[in-house]
Every structure is written in C-alpha cells, then in structure tokens.
C-alpha cells in the first residue's frame, strides 16, 4: 500500500536554487520567510504523512454520504480539518491582520503539493477556501473582509466557488442565477451544480462565492456579479445567525476524489431567495472570479504534480520489490527486480523527469506571483505579471495533462496489479483525472493561452519569455560539460519549435481563426514541454557547477543532471512532433463537414 513521502530535498532545491526564495524573502512583508522555511517544510511534511495520508485510502473507499440535505465526509476528515486549521495551515499566505501568517505565495508550491500528494480529496477544501479568501481580500469591502476572512482562516467556515450551472459550464456567460436587491443585501435564487464541498460537516459555516445576475444586467459575461452567500448568516458580533436558504440537493458519484462531496446546490429556491452580499461592484463578478480562478488554476496545476509524484513514489517502490524476468544481457540467470529492466527504468525516468520539471515550473511561477504583489519596482511587477498570466494556463493545463500521463505510466509499472484496486495505484489514476477538467478544462486553458495571452499582446510576452530561454540555451550550449551542452541543444530545438508555432498561430489569427485555434491544446503542451525544459536546463547548469565543486551532495546533483539530460532527449524532443502537428496539421482539423460526422452517427444507430 502506498505511503506518501514529501520530496523535501527536491522542494528545497527548487525553492532555493530555481524559484529564488532568498530574493522573495527580501520583499517587504516577507522578511521572516527564511527563518521559518525549513521548519514549515518539515512540519507540513509531518502533517501530510502523519494526518492526511492515513485518511487517503479510507476516504476513497468510504466516500461521502448525503441524507436529507446533510453531507457527512469520510471518517477522520472533520478532526483533520480542525487540526489543519489549528496548526495555522489555512492562514499560511493570508495577511496577519486576518489571523494568517503572511508568508509568500511561493510557499504554497510545496505545501499545496504535500496536502494534495497525501490526500487530494481532503486538500480540495483548503484549496477552494484559499480562493475564497483571496477574492474577498482583493475585491470585498473592509466590512466584508473583517466579517468573513478571519472565520475562513480559523476553520470556523470554509469557502466554495459557485460558478457552474447546468447550462453554464465552460461558458459562464450563460449563468442564470438571479440577485434581487433588498436593503443592504440581495436575495439570490438559482441552482449551482458540481460545487466542491458545497455542503459538509467539517466546519460550522460555509461561505459560498456565487455568480448571479442583478436585474437589468447586460447579457453575457458583462452582466455577472459576485455574491457572498453564507450557509448561516453571521451577526455583527460574529455569532451565527439564521440558516440561509442554501440546500444541498444531492452529491455526485464520481470516478475519483471520493473524499470530497461534489454538490448540487439549490439557492433560495424554497422561498424568497437566500441572503447574499454583493462583492465589489455589480456586473464585475467574472473579473473578480478570475482572481479566484487564477489562484485556483495554479493550485490545480500543483494538484496534478502532487498526485503524479505520489504515483511515481508508489511505482518506484513496487519496481524495486517486484521480481520478474531476467536481464536482457547474455549470461544473466537470476530473476531480478523489474526496476532493472530498461523499459521499466524508462517509465520511472519519464515520471521523475516530468515531475521535477512540473515542480520547477510551478514554484517559479509562484515566485513571480510574489514579485507581482510585493516588488517595489513597477517595471518588475509589470514584467512578472505578464509572465504569470502567460504561465497560469500552462501550469494548469500542462501539469495536469502530464500528470494524467505520469499516473498512467505509474500504473503500467504495476502490470496487472495496477489494474486492481488492492495496490492503491488505481486510486491515484482515478483521482488525478479530474484535474484536467475542473477550474477550466485543458481546452479552455488553451483558449486562454492563445486568445488572451498570445494574440492580445501580439506575442510580446511570449517573445520576452522565449528570449530569456534562448539566453539560457546559449549558455548551456557553450558549457564544457557534454551533458549540459546536449541539454542546451535540446532546449534550442524546443525553443525554435515554440517560436515557429507561435508565429504560425499569430499569423493565422489574422486570417483564419479556426486554423489558429485548431491545435491550441498541442500548443499549450508545447509551451509546457519547453518551459519545463528551460527550468530543467537551469537545474542542470546549477548541478554541473555543484558537481565540479565537489559539493557534499554530489549524488543529488548528479541525479539532477542525469534527469535533466533524460528530459532533453525524451521529453523536449516531443516539441518536434508538436510543431509538425500544429504547422502541418492545423488545416486538417476542421475538414469534415457536420454531414460527414452524421454518417458515423447513423452507422452507430443502425449497428
Ligand atoms: C468533481 C468536480 C468538481 C467541480 N467543482 C466545481 C466547483 O467547486 N465549483 C464550480 O463552479 N464548478 C465545479 N466543477 C465544474 C467544472 O468546473 C466544469 O465541469 C468544467 O468547467 C467544465 O464544464 P462542463 O462540465 O459544463 O463542460 P462543457 O463546458 O460542456 O465542456 C465539454 C467539452 O467541451 C470543451 N469546450 C467547451 N467550450 C469550449 C470552447 N469554447 N472551446 C474549446 N473547447 C470547449 C471542453 O474543453 C470539454 O472538453 C466541478 C466539476 C467536477 C466534475
């Protein structure tokens, strides 16, 4: 049975040597970061392995139950949430005035990874809570901040994200929930579906952040407003008031993440509407929700990485123990552990290299987020904001798609024992599958990457990032270390593919939008592969220098260099294929007519 281990050494490497946590700790308000860094990582690891991991399997088996609107979470979740809150984990990045620790977002990289690696079903609660806190902190009134945030930090309440309705999934312009003004609040009515932790027994209150339309709101996304809709109204003195009309009408039976309830919420439908408080200005709700979604999208990217790493650890364990077959080299007679077979070794390396690249790219993106929030120099803030906006869909889309692939590879290492539930690897595969869907599917991330990030600024940010990558590749190619040089060559090929396809998409955006968007997902994945290669190139450069200096941790750095080399030859090489798919294949995506597809539907019916 799998037992999660926090990959602290690599986390420390990425934080300190790639994400620049020492520079982040110089930003105003973050000065204490380095003093607490090691203890935070160690305590988080201990919480993840000691409290959350033991509940992971049980939660999958037991799931949540719904009876007459009440939802019971799996055994141990309620107590674990209290411990989680009491230990201060909810408030890690929240400003001290609301009861938080005020630490940088960069610290969310490893901590989120540990919560999700040890128990993604549980970790979804804090993830959405974090988004709710951020939305209120950035867009709410002072009174709302005081009233709601401290309770979300202390664990008295949890936050949800109430966007989806039956007819409004990826397309939030279709939201129909209504908000009618009444004195200092609104009356909300509508139905929300798929709401994670929409109802549960882990905290006394639930604060739903709900999208709805005020009377006479414009059609589409410009007429959506954001409301706080609590399960229980909170009195001015902070005590719980009357129950609001927010009812859980049922929970879903799912493929994975069974530890958390996915709820259908009936809002204000039994009477005159439930009480809701407008956040910020009317009709700007989607803009505000994007603040929450950006944080949540980053976090879901890290979820993917986390579950992939758990699956990798598990498959590594199995590969070292399972004895089957002999070495392909002549003369070998004794059966050996499968980890010794080249193909199994390739599967392990594939996972390890991709996971390390995902970790590096996501923590580096989180560090830029801190610069956006705190750097005194406006030029730096602007530059990093553009980088973060470009990278969020990549971190979300690429890390999650890649994680599904890595978890599938981990399962393959188990052979038949991967396909049965007994070993637990099947759970990782089922659990990780949702990450490419919620918080915007990969298709929607790719739409965002091309439409809002590439085309809107005419490729300026993409070009700036590509230029940075080229600078590094040039340094790598000039290295005297043959492995580093080879990594530089691989990176150069990947960058050239990225530049050419960006140009291709930019050109087609002016003449044929179908063609420009036809391979948007392969383009997003290409960004991930190359940006991951950029970070692995940086890691290789550092590792080579440490090895040359006889660093006492040479074994770690030698492994890092070898893993980076594998990434260059096995992962970065995908860029050539993506380039061909995009440049040569985009025109072939929309060639069939609806009538030609109808032929297949008719055949299916008559068969
Ligand atoms: C377990 C779970 C938990 C969830 N938690 C929450 C939550 O807490 N809060 C919440 O509000 N929602 C939540 N959701 C909803 C989730 O965010 C949506 O399911 C998701 O955004 C996709 O919407 P949809 O299911 O309506 O799919 P659709 O929008 O119908 O999409 C179907 C397919 O079409 C593609 N597609 C749609 N539009 C486009 C387009 N314009 N261009 C290209 N491709 C497109 C999609 O990529 C997808 O492949 C959750 C869902 C699940 C399953």
């Amino acid at each position: 049975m799998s037992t999660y281990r926090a990959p602290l050494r690599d986390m420390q490497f990425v934080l300190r040597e790639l994400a620049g946590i020492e520079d982040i700790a110089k930003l105003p308000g973050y000065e204490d970061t380095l003093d607490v860094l090691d203890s935070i990582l160690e305590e988080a690891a201990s919480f993840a392995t000691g409290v959350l991991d033991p509940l992971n399997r049980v939660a999958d088996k037991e799931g949540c139950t719904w009876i007459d609107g009440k939802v019971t979470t799996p055994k141990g979740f309620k107590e674990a949430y209290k411990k989680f809150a009491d230990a201060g984990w909810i408030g890690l990045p929240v400003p001290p005035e609301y009861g938080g620790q005020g630490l940088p977002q960069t610290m969310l990289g490893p901590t989120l990874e540990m919560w999700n690696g040890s128990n993604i079903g549980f970790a979804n609660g804090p993830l959405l809570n974090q988004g709710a806190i951020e939305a209120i902190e950035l867009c709410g009134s002072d009174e709302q901040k005081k009233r709601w945030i401290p309770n979300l930090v202390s664990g008295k309440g949890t936050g949800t994200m109430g966007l989806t309705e039956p007819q409004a999934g990826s397309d939030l312009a279709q939201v129909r929930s209504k908000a009618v003004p009444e004195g200092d609040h609104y009356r909300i009515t509508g139905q929300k579906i798929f709401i994670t932790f929409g109802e549960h027994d882990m905290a006394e209150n639930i604060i739903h952040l709900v999208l709805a339309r005020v009377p006479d709101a414009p059609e589409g996304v410009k007429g959506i407003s954001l409301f706080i809709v609590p399960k229980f109204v909170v009195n001015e003195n902070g005590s719980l008031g009357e129950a609001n009309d927010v009812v859980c009408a049922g929970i879903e039976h799912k493929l994975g993440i069974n530890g958390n309830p996915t709820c259908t919420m009936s809002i204000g439908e039994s009477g005159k509407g439930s009480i809701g408080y407008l956040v910020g200005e009317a009709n700007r709700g989607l803009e505000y929700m994007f603040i929450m979604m950006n944080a949540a999208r980053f976090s879901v990217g890290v979820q993917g990485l986390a579950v992939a790493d758990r699956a990798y650890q598990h498959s590594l364990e199995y590969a070292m123990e399972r004895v089957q077959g002999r070495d392909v080299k002549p003369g070998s007679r004794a059966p050996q552990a499968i980890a010794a077979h080249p193909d199994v070794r390739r599967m392990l390396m594939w996972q390890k290299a991709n996971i390390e690249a995902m970790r590096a790219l996501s923590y580096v993106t989180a560090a830029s987020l801190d610069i956006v929030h705190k750097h005194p120099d406006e030029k730096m803030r602007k530059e990093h904001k553009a980088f973060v906006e470009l990278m969020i869909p990549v971190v979300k889309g690429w890390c999650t798609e890649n994680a599904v692939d890595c978890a599938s590879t981990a399962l393959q290492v188990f052979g038949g024992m991967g396909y049965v539930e007994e070993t637990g690897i099947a759970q990782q595969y089922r659990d990780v599958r949702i990450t490419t869907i919620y918080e915007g599917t990969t298709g929607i991330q790719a739409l965002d990457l091309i439409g809002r990030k590439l085309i809107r600024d005419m490729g300026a940010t993409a070009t700036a990032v590509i230029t940075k990558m080229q600078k590094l590749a040039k340094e790598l190619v000039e290295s005297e270390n043959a492995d580093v040089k080879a990594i530089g060559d691989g990176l150069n090929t990947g960058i050239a593919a990225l530049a050419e396809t960006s140009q291709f998409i930019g050109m087609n955006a002016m003449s044929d939008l179908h063609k420009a968007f036809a391979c948007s997902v392969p383009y997003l994945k290409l960004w991930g592969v190359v940006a991951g290669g950029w970070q692995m190139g940086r890691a290789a450069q550092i590792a080579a220098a440490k090895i040359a200096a006889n660093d006492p941790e040479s074994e770690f750095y030698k492994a890092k260099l070898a893993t980076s080399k594998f990434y260059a030859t096995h992962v970065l090489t995908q860029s050539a294929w993506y380039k061909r798919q995009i440049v040569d294949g985009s025109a072939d995506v929309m060639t069939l007519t609806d009538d030609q597809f109808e032929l297949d539907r008719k055949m299916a019916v008559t068969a």
Side-chain angles (χ1 to χ4, degrees):
M1 194 48 54
S2 102
T3 312
Y4 177 71
R5 285 181 302 276
L8 288 180
R9 182 63 191 92
D10 200 52
M11 287 173 164
Q12 285 274 13
F13 170 74
V14 175
L15 282 174
R16 289 181 186 273
E17 301 188 63
L18 298 180
I21 191 75
E22 287 174 14
D23 291 333
I24 299 296
K26 290 181 192 141
L27 296 173
Y30 292 158
E31 294 86 353
D32 296 337
T33 306
L34 294 180
D35 297 341
V36 295
L37 176 71
D38 292 347
S39 61
I40 293 240
L41 291 185
E42 272 152 35
E43 281 168 31
S46 150
F47 195 91
T49 54
V51 180
L52 302 183
D53 186 39
L55 301 176
N56 188 50
R57 185 95 169 114
V58 170
D60 181 54
K61 283 193 167 167
E62 201 179 301
C64 300
T65 47
W66 177 95
I67 299 175
D68 292 339
K70 294 216 176 323
V71 173
T72 309
T73 53
K75 220 177 281 130
F77 266 38
K78 188 174 175 182
E79 295 73 20
Y81 197 69
K82 176 152 183 16
K83 283 186 196 160
F84 190 82
D86 290 350
W89 294 121
I90 299 175
L92 198 82
V94 180
E97 64 257 41
Y98 305 118
Q101 301 189 48
L103 284 165
Q105 297 280 326
T106 314
M107 292 303 293
L108 280 183
T111 47
L112 270 174
E113 190 186 328
M114 290 188 240
W115 313 144
N116 285 285
S118 56
N119 192 331
I120 181 178
F122 176 91
N124 255 329
L127 188 156
L128 288 160
N129 203 36
Q130 184 60 42
I133 292 171
E134 266 191 50
I136 300 174
E137 191 193 333
L138 293 170
C139 315
S141 65
D142 286 346
E143 192 277 326
Q144 286 171 339
K145 290 179 205 177
K146 272 193 225 131
R147 184 178 297 205
W148 305 107
I149 300 180
N151 285 346
L152 291 172
V153 173
S154 71
K156 274 189 175 180
T158 63
T160 77
M161 192 154 137
L163 283 68
T164 308
E165 297 179 6
Q167 76 297 338
S170 300
D171 184 5
L172 292 170
Q174 306 303 326
V175 161
R176 283 192 204 139
S177 291
K178 286 198 181 111
V180 178
E182 183 188 77
D184 66 349
H185 56 260
Y186 283 73
R187 288 283 174 180
I188 317 284
T189 44
Q191 191 196 46
K192 296 286 171 182
I193 60 166
F194 291 152
I195 306 306
T196 301
F197 279 111
E199 175 59 37
H200 60 79
D201 56 354
M202 298 186 338
E204 64 181 32
N205 206 358
I206 302 176
I207 316 305
H208 303 280
L209 283 169
V210 170
L211 292 182
R213 290 181 184 280
V214 296
D216 304 322
E219 289 286 305
V221 289
K222 295 220 160 79
I224 296 173
S225 306
L226 180 63
F227 297 88
I228 294 170
V229 181
K231 178 176 168 183
F232 289 101
V233 173
V234 171
N235 300 317
E236 294 221 342
N237 64 7
S239 62
L240 282 193
E242 64 184 85
N244 210 357
D245 182 8
V246 187
V247 177
C248 176
I251 59 175
E252 304 293 342
H253 298 280
K254 299 174 294 202
L255 179 68
I257 55 165
N258 292 319
N260 70 55
T262 303
C263 307
T264 299
M265 303 302 299
S266 228
I267 303 176
E269 290 190 334
S270 62
K272 54 180 185 169
S274 65
I275 293 177
Y277 307 97
L278 179 68
V279 177
E281 292 171 29
N283 299 328
R284 291 185 63 190
L286 203 67
E287 186 189 319
Y288 301 151
M289 202 51 128
F290 256 102
I291 295 171
M292 189 166 164
M293 274 198 285
N294 264 342
R297 284 176 175 181
F298 165 79
S299 304
V300 174
V302 175
Q303 281 196 321
L305 148 70
V307 182
D309 189 44
R310 183 189 181 107
Y312 162 62
Q313 293 179 18
H314 198 179
S315 70
L316 175 62
E317 209 60 45
Y318 188 79
M320 293 293 189
E321 301 292 331
R322 167 76 173 160
V323 174
Q324 198 71 191
R326 290 167 184 77
D327 198 324
V328 286
K329 282 187 180 165
S332 104
R333 307 229 59 82
Q336 58 184 1
I338 58 169
H341 297 307
D343 185 56
V344 175
R345 208 45 97 90
R346 180 193 57 77
M347 290 194 276
L348 296 174
M349 285 298 289
W350 175 263
Q351 295 176 69
K352 180 173 163 63
N354 273 296
I355 287 163
E356 289 182 14
M358 290 191 265
R359 181 172 295 124
L361 187 62
S362 27
Y363 292 15
V364 163
T365 303
S368 279
L369 209 51
D370 283 320
I371 294 173
V372 174
H373 289 153
K374 296 276 183 173
H375 204 285
D377 179 0
E378 197 194 335
K379 190 167 164 278
M380 282 287 279
R381 289 201 302 272
K382 225 173 135 191
E383 190 186 311
H384 283 264
K385 185 167 188 280
F387 174 71
V388 168
E389 288 185 349
L390 183 74
M391 280 302 126
I392 290 281
V394 177
V395 168
K396 200 296 183 175
W398 176 65
C399 288
T400 59
E401 291 282 340
N402 210 13
V404 172
D405 178 64
C406 284
S408 174
T409 306
L411 188 147
Q412 188 72 14
V413 170
F414 279 75
M417 290 309 283
Y419 200 69
V420 297
E421 290 286 349
E422 187 187 326
T423 52
I425 193 72
Q427 185 194 343
Q428 320 313 329
Y429 184 57
R430 290 186 286 101
D431 280 353
V432 80
R433 191 62 189 83
I434 184 61
T435 60
T436 66
I437 296 172
Y438 58 19
E439 294 305 338
T441 61
T442 313
I444 296 303
Q445 304 306 318
L447 209 59
D448 181 42
L449 177 67
I450 293 184
R452 298 182 65 232
K453 311 293 162 67
L454 181 73
I455 296 177
R456 196 171 286 182
D457 75 356
M458 310 277 278
T461 307
T463 305
V465 178
I466 287 173
T467 306
K468 271 193 183 169
M469 294 184 191
Q470 282 165 332
K471 185 171 171 289
L472 175 79
K474 185 168 179 292
E475 286 171 24
L476 299 180
V477 168
E478 285 166 3
S479 168
E480 298 196 343
N481 181 308
D483 286 339
V484 174
K485 195 171 163 27
I487 293 166
D489 286 335
L491 184 56
N492 262 331
T493 309
I495 297 168
L498 188 55
E500 193 181 326
T501 50
S502 301
Q503 186 88 15
F504 172 87
I505 289 171
M507 293 298 290
N508 277 291
M510 289 187 271
S511 54
D512 182 350
L513 282 171
H514 272 175
K515 205 166 158 192
F517 282 96
C519 286
S520 53
V521 168
Y523 177 68
L524 175 145
K525 289 182 180 173
L526 175 59
W527 257 106
V529 161
V530 179
W534 171 34
Q535 297 308 321
M536 291 303 269
R538 292 180 63 212
Q541 193 177 41
I542 294 162
K546 294 275 187 183
I547 297 163
N550 286 325
D551 189 276
E553 288 196 80
S554 280
E555 282 314 303
F556 172 81
Y557 289 109
K558 281 180 191 165
K560 182 60 83 180
L561 183 56
T563 308
S564 303
K565 174 88 187 313
F566 178 95
Y567 188 95
T569 51
H570 287 252
V571 186
L572 258 175
T573 41
Q574 293 177 110
S575 56
W577 177 68
Y578 283 130
K579 185 183 91 177
R580 284 213 63 184
Q581 193 182 358
I582 297 163
V583 175
D584 299 345
S586 287
D588 298 326
V589 169
M590 300 294 284
T591 45
L592 290 196
T593 61
D594 284 359
D595 286 345
Q596 285 168 317
F597 271 118
E598 281 301 328
L599 294 176
D600 287 347
R601 295 182 75 193
K602 281 184 191 130
M603 275 189 257
V605 171
T606 48

